Amino acid sequence: QVQLVESGGGLVQPGGSLRLSCAARGSIFRINVMGWYRQAPGKERELVATIHSGGRINYADSVKGRFTISRDNDKNTVYLQMNTLKAEDTAVYYCNLVQLGTTGDFWGQGTQVTVSS
C-alpha cells in the first residue's frame, strides 16, 4: 500500500508564494508519475502539474510561468513551488501518484491553499 503525506498549504496574500510537499511512503515503484491536482468549491478536480520519474513535466495552462513542480526520487517526494499566487488559485490541493504498468493510483488527503488579502 502507498500513503501520500502532504504539507505546506496555508493562507497567503495575492502575489505571494507557497511551497507544497508530498512524501510517498510504502511500496513505490521506480517508474511512476507524481503530480498535483486541485479542487475549488463547486468545481471539479483539475490538473495542476505532473512530473514523470524520468523528468517529463506537464503544467496546466493556468499555472505555467508561475508554478514549478519538482521531485526527489531518492526521497519519493514531489514539490510544488507556487509563485505570484492569485485568488483563483484558492483550492484544496491533492497529491497524486500513479504507478505505471499497474493499477496503482493513489491520492493524498489534500491541503488547503487560500489566496486572499
Side-chain angles (χ1 to χ4, degrees), residues 55-102:
R56 186 173 68 247
I57 290 173
N58 181 45
Y59 290 106
D61 288 342
S62 60
V63 306
K64 285 181 180 177
R66 300 188 298 122
F67 291 11
T68 302
I69 190 170
S70 60
R71 62 185 292 164
D72 184 332
N73 288 336
D74 291 336
K75 296 181 179 179
N76 291 318
T77 298
V78 64
Y79 306 96
L80 186 68
Q81 177 67 43
M82 304 185 292
N83 298 329
T84 319
L85 282 160
K86 305 175 182 179
E88 50 263 44
D89 295 318
T90 295
V92 177
Y93 283 69
Y94 295 91
C95 179
N96 174 252
L97 167 66
V98 176
Q99 310 253 57
L100 299 180
T102 76

